Coordinates of all heavy atoms in Angstrom, one line a residue:
M1 N 19.0 -9.5 13.0 CA 17.8 -9.5 12.3 C 17.5 -10.9 11.6 O 18.3 -11.3 10.9 CB 17.7 -8.4 11.2 CG 16.4 -8.3 10.5 SD 16.3 -7.0 9.2 CE 16.2 -5.6 10.2
T2 N 16.4 -11.5 12.0 CA 16.1 -12.8 11.6 C 15.3 -12.8 10.2 O 14.9 -11.7 9.8 CB 15.3 -13.6 12.6 OG1 14.1 -13.0 12.8 CG2 16.1 -13.7 13.9
E3 N 15.1 -13.9 9.6 CA 14.3 -14.0 8.5 C 12.8 -13.5 8.7 O 12.2 -12.8 7.9 CB 14.2 -15.4 7.9 CG 15.3 -15.8 7.0 CD 15.1 -17.2 6.4 OE1 14.0 -17.5 6.0 OE2 16.0 -18.0 6.5
A4 N 12.3 -13.8 9.9 CA 10.9 -13.4 10.2 C 10.9 -11.9 10.3 O 9.9 -11.3 9.9 CB 10.5 -14.1 11.5
D5 N 11.9 -11.2 10.8 CA 11.9 -9.8 10.9 C 11.9 -9.1 9.5 O 11.2 -8.2 9.2 CB 13.1 -9.3 11.7 CG 13.1 -9.6 13.2 OD1 11.9 -9.9 13.7 OD2 14.1 -9.7 13.8
V6 N 12.7 -9.7 8.6 CA 12.9 -9.2 7.3 C 11.5 -9.4 6.6 O 11.1 -8.5 5.8 CB 14.0 -9.9 6.5 CG1 14.0 -9.5 5.0 CG2 15.4 -9.5 7.1
L7 N 10.9 -10.6 6.7 CA 9.7 -10.8 6.0 C 8.6 -9.9 6.6 O 7.7 -9.4 5.8 CB 9.3 -12.3 6.1 CG 10.2 -13.2 5.2 CD1 9.8 -14.7 5.4 CD2 10.1 -12.8 3.8
G8 N 8.6 -9.7 7.9 CA 7.5 -8.8 8.4 C 7.7 -7.4 8.0 O 6.7 -6.7 7.7
L9 N 9.0 -6.9 7.9 CA 9.3 -5.6 7.4 C 8.8 -5.4 5.9 O 8.3 -4.5 5.5 CB 10.7 -5.2 7.6 CG 11.2 -3.9 7.2 CD1 10.5 -2.8 8.1 CD2 12.7 -3.7 7.4
L10 N 9.1 -6.4 5.1 CA 8.7 -6.4 3.8 C 7.2 -6.4 3.6 O 6.7 -5.7 2.8 CB 9.3 -7.6 3.0 CG 9.0 -7.8 1.5 CD1 9.6 -6.6 0.8 CD2 9.5 -9.1 1.0
R11 N 6.5 -7.3 4.4 CA 5.1 -7.3 4.3 C 4.5 -5.9 4.7 O 3.6 -5.4 4.0 CB 4.5 -8.4 5.2 CG 3.0 -8.5 5.1 CD 2.5 -9.6 6.1 NE 3.2 -10.9 5.7 CZ 3.9 -11.7 6.6 NH1 4.2 -11.2 7.8 NH2 4.5 -12.8 6.2
A12 N 5.0 -5.3 5.8 CA 4.5 -4.0 6.2 C 4.8 -2.9 5.2 O 4.0 -2.1 4.9 CB 5.1 -3.7 7.5
S13 N 6.0 -3.0 4.6 CA 6.3 -2.0 3.6 C 5.4 -2.1 2.4 O 5.0 -1.1 1.7 CB 7.8 -2.0 3.2 OG 8.1 -3.3 2.6
L14 N 5.1 -3.3 1.9 CA 4.2 -3.5 0.8 C 2.8 -3.0 1.1 O 2.2 -2.4 0.3 CB 4.2 -5.0 0.3 CG 5.4 -5.5 -0.3 CD1 5.4 -7.0 -0.6 CD2 5.7 -4.7 -1.6
R15 N 2.4 -3.3 2.4 CA 1.1 -2.8 2.7 C 1.0 -1.2 2.8 O 0.0 -0.7 2.2 CB 0.7 -3.3 4.1 CG -0.8 -3.1 4.6 CD -1.0 -3.7 5.9 NE -1.0 -5.2 5.7 CZ -0.2 -6.0 6.5 NH1 0.5 -5.5 7.5 NH2 -0.2 -7.3 6.3
V16 N 2.0 -0.5 3.3 CA 2.0 0.9 3.3 C 2.2 1.4 1.8 O 1.5 2.4 1.5 CB 3.2 1.4 4.2 CG1 3.4 2.9 3.9 CG2 3.0 1.1 5.6
G17 N 3.0 0.8 1.1 CA 3.1 1.3 -0.3 C 1.8 1.1 -1.1 O 1.4 2.0 -1.9
T18 N 1.2 0.0 -0.9 CA -0.1 -0.2 -1.6 C -1.2 0.8 -1.1 O -1.9 1.4 -1.9 CB -0.6 -1.6 -1.4 OG1 0.4 -2.5 -1.8 CG2 -1.9 -1.9 -2.1
G19 N -1.2 1.1 0.2 CA -2.1 2.0 0.7 C -1.9 3.4 0.2 O -2.8 4.2 0.0
M20 N -0.6 3.8 0.0 CA -0.3 5.1 -0.5 C -0.6 5.2 -2.1 O -1.0 6.3 -2.5 CB 1.2 5.4 -0.3 CG 1.5 5.6 1.1 SD 3.3 5.7 1.4 CE 3.9 6.9 0.2
A21 N -0.4 4.2 -2.8 CA -0.7 4.2 -4.3 C -2.2 4.1 -4.6 O -2.6 4.4 -5.7 CB 0.1 3.2 -4.9
M22 N -3.0 3.5 -3.7 CA -4.4 3.1 -4.0 C -5.2 4.3 -4.4 O -6.0 4.2 -5.4 CB -5.0 2.4 -2.8 CG -6.2 1.7 -3.2 SD -6.0 0.4 -4.5 CE -4.9 -0.6 -3.7
P23 N -5.2 5.5 -3.8 CA -6.0 6.6 -4.2 C -5.7 7.0 -5.7 O -6.6 7.3 -6.4 CB -5.7 7.8 -3.2 CG -5.2 7.1 -2.0 CD -4.5 5.8 -2.5
I24 N -4.5 7.1 -6.0 CA -4.0 7.5 -7.3 C -4.5 6.5 -8.4 O -5.0 6.8 -9.5 CB -2.5 7.8 -7.4 CG1 -2.2 8.9 -6.5 CG2 -2.1 7.9 -8.8 CD1 -0.7 9.2 -6.5
L25 N -4.2 5.2 -8.0 CA -4.6 4.1 -9.0 C -6.1 4.0 -9.2 O -6.6 3.8 -10.3 CB -4.1 2.8 -8.5 CG -2.5 2.7 -8.5 CD1 -2.2 1.3 -7.9 CD2 -2.0 2.8 -9.9
V26 N -6.9 4.2 -8.1 CA -8.3 4.1 -8.3 C -8.9 5.3 -9.1 O -9.7 5.1 -9.9 CB -9.0 4.0 -6.8 CG1 -10.5 4.2 -7.0 CG2 -8.7 2.6 -6.3
S27 N -8.3 6.4 -8.8 CA -8.8 7.6 -9.6 C -8.4 7.5 -11.0 O -9.2 7.9 -11.9 CB -8.3 8.9 -8.9 OG -6.9 8.9 -9.1
A28 N -7.2 7.0 -11.3 CA -6.8 6.8 -12.7 C -7.7 5.8 -13.4 O -8.1 6.0 -14.6 CB -5.4 6.4 -12.8
L29 N -8.1 4.8 -12.7 CA -8.9 3.7 -13.3 C -10.4 4.4 -13.5 O -10.9 4.1 -14.7 CB -9.1 2.6 -12.3 CG -10.1 1.5 -12.8 CD1 -9.6 0.8 -13.9 CD2 -10.3 0.5 -11.6
A30 N -10.9 5.2 -12.6 CA -12.2 5.7 -12.8 C -12.2 6.7 -13.9 O -13.1 6.8 -14.7 CB -12.6 6.4 -11.5
A31 N -11.1 7.5 -14.0 CA -11.1 8.5 -15.1 C -10.9 7.8 -16.4 O -11.5 8.2 -17.4 CB -9.9 9.4 -14.9
G32 N -10.1 6.7 -16.4 CA -10.0 5.9 -17.8 C -11.3 5.3 -18.1 O -11.6 5.3 -19.4
L33 N -12.0 4.8 -17.2 CA -13.3 4.2 -17.6 C -14.3 5.2 -18.1 O -15.0 5.0 -19.0 CB -13.9 3.4 -16.4 CG -13.3 2.1 -16.0 CD1 -13.8 1.6 -14.7 CD2 -13.4 1.1 -17.2
A34 N -14.3 6.4 -17.4 CA -15.2 7.4 -17.9 C -14.9 7.9 -19.2 O -15.7 8.1 -20.1 CB -15.2 8.6 -16.9
I35 N -13.6 8.1 -19.5 CA -13.1 8.6 -20.7 C -13.4 7.6 -21.9 O -13.8 7.8 -23.0 CB -11.7 9.1 -20.7 CG1 -11.5 10.3 -19.8 CG2 -11.1 9.3 -22.1 CD1 -10.1 10.6 -19.4
G36 N -13.1 6.3 -21.5 CA -13.3 5.2 -22.5 C -14.8 5.1 -22.8 O -15.2 4.9 -24.0
L37 N -15.7 5.3 -21.9 CA -17.2 5.3 -22.1 C -17.6 6.4 -23.0 O -18.4 6.2 -23.9 CB -17.9 5.3 -20.8 CG -19.4 5.2 -20.9 CD1 -19.8 3.8 -21.5 CD2 -20.0 5.3 -19.5
L38 N -17.0 7.6 -22.7 CA -17.3 8.8 -23.5 C -16.8 8.6 -24.9 O -17.5 8.9 -25.9 CB -16.6 10.0 -22.8 CG -16.7 11.3 -23.6 CD1 -18.2 11.8 -23.5 CD2 -15.8 12.3 -23.1
Q39 N -15.6 8.0 -25.1 CA -15.1 7.7 -26.5 C -16.0 6.7 -27.2 O -16.2 6.9 -28.4 CB -13.7 7.3 -26.4 CG -12.7 8.4 -26.1 CD -11.3 8.0 -26.3 OE1 -11.0 6.8 -25.9 NE2 -10.4 8.9 -26.7
A40 N -16.4 5.7 -26.5 CA -17.2 4.7 -27.1 C -18.6 5.3 -27.5 O -19.1 4.9 -28.6 CB -17.4 3.5 -26.2
L41 N -19.1 6.1 -26.7 CA -20.5 6.7 -27.0 C -20.4 7.7 -28.1 O -21.4 7.8 -28.9 CB -21.1 7.4 -25.7 CG -21.5 6.4 -24.7 CD1 -21.9 7.1 -23.4 CD2 -22.6 5.5 -25.1
T42 N -19.4 8.5 -28.2 CA -19.3 9.5 -29.2 C -18.4 9.1 -30.4 O -18.3 9.9 -31.4 CB -18.6 10.8 -28.6 OG1 -17.4 10.5 -28.1 CG2 -19.5 11.3 -27.5
S43 N -17.8 8.0 -30.4 CA -16.8 7.5 -31.5 C -15.7 8.5 -31.8 O -15.2 8.6 -32.9 CB -17.6 7.3 -32.8 OG -18.6 6.3 -32.7
I44 N -15.3 9.2 -30.8 CA -14.1 10.0 -30.8 C -12.9 9.2 -30.4 O -12.8 8.7 -29.3 CB -14.2 11.3 -30.0 CG1 -15.4 12.1 -30.4 CG2 -12.9 12.1 -30.0 CD1 -15.7 13.3 -29.4
Q45 N -11.9 9.1 -31.3 CA -10.7 8.2 -31.0 C -9.5 9.1 -31.0 O -8.7 9.0 -31.9 CB -10.6 7.1 -32.0 CG -11.8 6.1 -31.9 CD -11.9 5.5 -30.6 OE1 -10.9 5.2 -29.9 NE2 -13.1 5.3 -30.2
E46 N -9.4 10.1 -30.1 CA -8.3 11.0 -30.0 C -7.4 10.5 -28.9 O -7.8 10.3 -27.8 CB -8.8 12.4 -29.7 CG -7.7 13.4 -29.6 CD -7.0 13.7 -30.9 OE1 -7.7 13.5 -32.0 OE2 -5.9 14.0 -30.9
L47 N -6.1 10.4 -29.2 CA -5.2 9.8 -28.2 C -5.0 10.8 -27.0 O -4.9 10.4 -25.9 CB -3.9 9.5 -28.9 CG -2.8 8.9 -27.9 CD1 -3.3 7.5 -27.5 CD2 -1.5 8.7 -28.7
T48 N -4.9 12.1 -27.3 CA -4.7 13.0 -26.2 C -5.9 13.1 -25.3 O -5.8 13.5 -24.2 CB -4.4 14.4 -26.8 OG1 -5.5 14.9 -27.6 CG2 -3.1 14.4 -27.5
L49 N -7.1 12.7 -25.8 CA -8.3 12.8 -25.0 C -8.2 11.8 -23.8 O -8.8 12.0 -22.8 CB -9.5 12.5 -25.8 CG -10.9 12.6 -25.2 CD1 -11.1 14.0 -24.6 CD2 -12.0 12.2 -26.0
T50 N -7.4 10.7 -24.0 CA -7.3 9.7 -23.0 C -6.1 10.1 -22.0 O -6.3 9.8 -20.8 CB -7.0 8.3 -23.6 OG1 -5.8 8.3 -24.3 CG2 -8.2 7.8 -24.4
F51 N -5.1 10.7 -22.5 CA -3.9 10.9 -21.8 C -4.0 12.1 -20.9 O -3.8 12.1 -19.7 CB -2.7 11.0 -22.7 CG -1.5 11.3 -21.9 CD1 -0.9 10.2 -21.2 CD2 -0.8 12.4 -21.9 CE1 0.3 10.4 -20.5 CE2 0.4 12.7 -21.3 CZ 0.9 11.6 -20.6
V52 N -4.5 13.3 -21.4 CA -4.4 14.5 -20.7 C -5.4 14.5 -19.5 O -5.0 14.9 -18.4 CB -4.7 15.7 -21.7 CG1 -4.8 17.0 -20.9 CG2 -3.5 15.8 -22.6
P53 N -6.6 14.1 -19.7 CA -7.5 14.2 -18.5 C -7.1 13.2 -17.4 O -7.2 13.5 -16.2 CB -8.9 13.7 -19.0 CG -8.9 14.1 -20.4 CD -7.4 13.8 -20.9
K54 N -6.6 12.0 -17.7 CA -6.1 11.1 -16.7 C -4.9 11.7 -15.9 O -4.8 11.5 -14.7 CB -5.7 9.8 -17.3 CG -6.8 8.8 -17.5 CD -6.4 7.4 -17.7 CE -5.9 7.2 -19.0 NZ -5.7 5.7 -19.3
L55 N -4.0 12.4 -16.7 CA -2.8 13.0 -16.1 C -3.3 14.1 -15.1 O -2.8 14.3 -14.0 CB -1.9 13.5 -17.1 CG -0.6 14.3 -16.6 CD1 0.2 13.2 -15.9 CD2 0.1 14.9 -17.8
F56 N -4.3 14.9 -15.6 CA -4.9 16.0 -14.7 C -5.4 15.4 -13.4 O -5.3 15.9 -12.4 CB -5.9 16.8 -15.5 CG -6.4 17.9 -14.8 CD1 -5.7 19.0 -14.6 CD2 -7.8 17.9 -14.4 CE1 -6.2 20.1 -13.9 CE2 -8.3 19.0 -13.8 CZ -7.5 20.1 -13.5
V57 N -6.2 14.3 -13.6 CA -6.9 13.7 -12.4 C -5.8 13.1 -11.4 O -5.9 13.3 -10.2 CB -7.8 12.5 -12.9 CG1 -8.2 11.7 -11.7 CG2 -9.1 13.2 -13.4
I58 N -4.8 12.5 -12.0 CA -3.7 11.9 -11.2 C -3.0 13.0 -10.4 O -2.7 12.8 -9.2 CB -2.7 11.0 -12.0 CG1 -3.4 9.8 -12.5 CG2 -1.4 10.8 -11.3 CD1 -2.6 9.0 -13.5
V59 N -2.7 14.1 -11.1 CA -2.0 15.2 -10.4 C -2.8 15.8 -9.3 O -2.3 16.1 -8.2 CB -1.5 16.3 -11.4 CG1 -1.1 17.6 -10.7 CG2 -0.5 15.8 -12.3
I60 N -4.1 16.0 -9.5 CA -5.0 16.5 -8.5 C -5.1 15.6 -7.3 O -5.0 16.0 -6.2 CB -6.4 16.8 -9.1 CG1 -6.3 17.9 -10.1 CG2 -7.4 17.1 -8.0 CD1 -7.1 19.0 -10.1
V61 N -5.3 14.3 -7.5 CA -5.4 13.3 -6.5 C -4.1 13.3 -5.7 O -4.1 13.2 -4.5 CB -5.9 12.0 -7.0 CG1 -5.8 10.9 -5.9 CG2 -7.3 12.1 -7.5
F62 N -3.0 13.3 -6.4 CA -1.7 13.3 -5.7 C -1.6 14.5 -4.8 O -1.1 14.4 -3.7 CB -0.6 13.2 -6.7 CG 0.8 13.3 -6.0 CD1 1.2 12.1 -5.4 CD2 1.6 14.4 -6.0 CE1 2.5 12.2 -4.8 CE2 2.8 14.5 -5.4 CZ 3.3 13.4 -4.8
W63 N -2.0 15.6 -5.3 CA -1.9 16.8 -4.5 C -2.8 16.8 -3.3 O -2.4 17.2 -2.2 CB -2.3 18.1 -5.4 CG -2.2 19.4 -4.7 CD1 -1.0 20.0 -4.3 CD2 -3.2 20.2 -4.3 NE1 -1.4 21.2 -3.7 CE2 -2.7 21.3 -3.7 CE3 -4.7 20.1 -4.5 CZ2 -3.5 22.4 -3.2 CZ3 -5.4 21.1 -4.0 CH2 -4.8 22.3 -3.3
L64 N -4.0 16.2 -3.5 CA -4.9 16.1 -2.3 C -4.5 15.1 -1.3 O -4.8 15.2 -0.1 CB -6.3 15.7 -2.9 CG -7.0 16.9 -3.6 CD1 -8.3 16.3 -4.2 CD2 -7.3 18.0 -2.7
T65 N -3.8 14.1 -1.7 CA -3.4 12.9 -0.8 C -1.9 13.0 -0.4 O -1.5 12.0 0.2 CB -3.8 11.6 -1.4 OG1 -3.0 11.4 -2.6 CG2 -5.3 11.4 -1.7
A66 N -1.2 14.0 -0.7 CA 0.2 14.1 -0.4 C 0.4 14.1 1.1 O 1.4 13.5 1.6 CB 0.9 15.3 -1.1
G67 N -0.4 14.8 1.8 CA -0.3 14.8 3.3 C -0.5 13.4 3.9 O 0.2 13.0 4.8
F68 N -1.5 12.7 3.4 CA -1.8 11.3 3.9 C -0.6 10.4 3.5 O -0.2 9.6 4.4 CB -3.1 10.8 3.2 CG -3.2 9.4 3.2 CD1 -3.5 8.7 4.4 CD2 -3.0 8.6 2.1 CE1 -3.6 7.3 4.4 CE2 -3.1 7.2 2.1 CZ -3.4 6.6 3.3
M69 N 0.0 10.6 2.4 CA 1.1 9.7 2.0 C 2.3 10.0 2.9 O 3.0 9.1 3.3 CB 1.4 10.0 0.5 CG 0.4 9.5 -0.5 SD 1.0 9.8 -2.1 CE -0.5 9.5 -3.0
A70 N 2.6 11.3 3.2 CA 3.7 11.6 4.0 C 3.5 11.1 5.4 O 4.4 10.6 6.1 CB 3.9 13.2 4.0
V71 N 2.3 11.3 6.0 CA 2.0 10.8 7.3 C 2.2 9.3 7.4 O 2.8 8.7 8.4 CB 0.6 11.2 7.8 CG1 0.2 10.5 9.0 CG2 0.6 12.7 8.1
S72 N 1.7 8.6 6.4 CA 1.8 7.1 6.3 C 3.3 6.7 6.3 O 3.7 5.8 7.0 CB 1.1 6.6 5.1 OG -0.3 6.8 5.1
L73 N 4.0 7.3 5.4 CA 5.4 7.0 5.3 C 6.3 7.3 6.6 O 7.1 6.5 7.0 CB 6.0 7.7 4.1 CG 7.3 7.1 3.5 CD1 7.1 5.7 3.1 CD2 7.7 7.9 2.3
V74 N 6.0 8.5 7.2 CA 6.7 8.8 8.4 C 6.3 7.9 9.6 O 7.2 7.4 10.3 CB 6.5 10.3 8.8 CG1 7.0 10.6 10.1 CG2 7.2 11.2 7.8
G75 N 5.0 7.6 9.6 CA 4.6 6.6 10.6 C 5.2 5.2 10.4 O 5.5 4.6 11.4
F76 N 5.4 4.8 9.2 CA 6.0 3.5 8.9 C 7.4 3.5 9.4 O 7.8 2.6 10.1 CB 5.9 3.2 7.4 CG 6.7 2.0 7.0 CD1 6.2 0.7 7.4 CD2 7.8 2.1 6.4 CE1 7.0 -0.4 7.0 CE2 8.6 1.0 5.9 CZ 8.1 -0.2 6.3
F77 N 8.2 4.6 9.1 CA 9.6 4.6 9.4 C 9.7 4.7 11.0 O 10.7 4.2 11.5 CB 10.3 5.7 8.7 CG 10.6 5.4 7.3 CD1 10.1 6.0 6.2 CD2 11.6 4.4 7.1 CE1 10.4 5.6 4.9 CE2 12.0 4.0 5.8 CZ 11.4 4.6 4.7
D78 N 8.8 5.4 11.6 CA 8.9 5.6 13.0 C 8.7 4.3 13.8 O 9.3 3.9 14.7 CB 7.9 6.7 13.5 CG 8.5 8.1 13.3 OD1 9.7 8.3 13.1 OD2 7.7 9.0 13.4
R79 N 7.7 3.6 13.3 CA 7.3 2.3 14.0 C 8.1 1.1 13.6 O 8.4 0.2 14.4 CB 5.8 2.0 13.7 CG 4.9 2.9 14.5 CD 3.4 2.5 14.2 NE 3.1 3.3 13.1 CZ 2.5 2.8 12.0 NH1 2.3 1.5 11.8 NH2 2.2 3.6 11.0
R80 N 8.5 1.0 12.3 CA 9.1 -0.2 11.8 C 10.6 -0.2 11.6 O 11.3 -1.0 12.0 CB 8.4 -0.6 10.5 CG 7.0 -0.8 10.5 CD 6.7 -2.2 11.2 NE 5.3 -2.5 11.2 CZ 4.8 -3.6 11.5 NH1 5.5 -4.6 11.8 NH2 3.5 -3.7 11.5
V81 N 11.0 0.8 10.9 CA 12.4 0.8 10.4 C 13.3 1.3 11.4 O 14.4 0.7 11.7 CB 12.5 1.6 9.1 CG1 14.0 1.6 8.6 CG2 11.6 1.0 8.0
L82 N 13.0 2.4 12.1 CA 14.0 3.0 13.0 C 14.4 2.1 14.2 O 15.5 2.0 14.6 CB 13.6 4.4 13.5 CG 13.6 5.5 12.4 CD1 13.1 6.8 12.9 CD2 15.0 5.6 11.8
P83 N 13.4 1.4 14.8 CA 13.8 0.6 15.9 C 14.7 -0.5 15.6 O 15.5 -1.1 16.3 CB 12.4 0.0 16.4 CG 11.4 1.0 16.0 CD 11.9 1.6 14.8
L84 N 14.6 -1.0 14.3 CA 15.5 -2.1 13.8 C 17.0 -1.6 13.8 O 17.9 -2.3 14.0 CB 15.1 -2.6 12.5 CG 13.7 -3.4 12.5 CD1 13.4 -3.7 11.1 CD2 13.8 -4.6 13.4
F85 N 17.1 -0.4 13.4 CA 18.5 0.1 13.3 C 19.1 0.6 14.6 O 20.3 0.8 14.8 CB 18.6 1.3 12.3 CG 18.4 0.9 10.9 CD1 17.2 1.3 10.1 CD2 19.3 0.1 10.3 CE1 17.1 0.9 8.9 CE2 19.1 -0.4 9.0 CZ 18.0 0.1 8.3
L86 N 18.2 0.8 15.6 CA 18.7 1.2 16.9 C 19.0 0.0 17.8 O 19.5 0.3 18.9 CB 17.6 2.1 17.6 CG 17.3 3.4 16.9 CD1 16.2 4.2 17.6 CD2 18.5 4.3 16.8
M87 N 18.8 -1.2 17.3 CA 19.1 -2.4 18.1 C 20.6 -2.6 18.3 O 21.4 -2.3 17.5 CB 18.5 -3.6 17.5 CG 17.0 -3.6 17.6 SD 16.4 -5.1 16.8 CE 15.0 -5.4 17.6

């Protein structure tokens, strides 16, 4: 395995990892912005008001995208990692 192979594998793994994490991160960002706007408009500064809804949104989005994440990861290992170990 050459340096180019290692760097290509690293680049591909970072791309797959970013693609898998993106739905959760975007939904957490959107929920945080909505809750922050709600808190700014109503002057409610409750710590659990920021934490609990974001956690709820993250769990729901994770549950909805778990199949996509599994398919992405299995596809990555089938195409990228396994052929390198079979050489």
Side-chain angles (χ1 to χ4, degrees):
M1 181 181 286
T2 65
E3 270 185 51
D5 293 336
V6 172
L7 290 176
L9 184 62
L10 181 62
R11 184 180 301 119
S13 63
L14 287 174
R15 188 174 296 127
V16 169
T18 303
M20 288 172 49
M22 197 58 62
I24 293 175
L25 294 175
V26 169
S27 64
L29 176 67
L33 286 174
I35 292 166
L37 183 62
L38 177 71
Q39 282 185 329
L41 291 175
T42 60
S43 297
I44 298 173
Q45 298 301 322
E46 181 67 31
L47 184 61
T48 57
L49 184 63
T50 61
F51 181 71
V52 174
K54 276 199 285 188
L55 181 65
F56 185 68
V57 166
I58 289 171
V59 167
I60 295 230
V61 170
F62 178 75
W63 182 70
L64 290 173
T65 60
F68 160 73
M69 291 180 193
V71 167
S72 297
L73 201 57
V74 168
F76 171 73
F77 279 112
D78 280 344
R79 282 181 275 127
R80 297 286 182 168
V81 177
L82 290 180
L84 293 175
F85 289 115
L86 295 177
M87 292 178 152

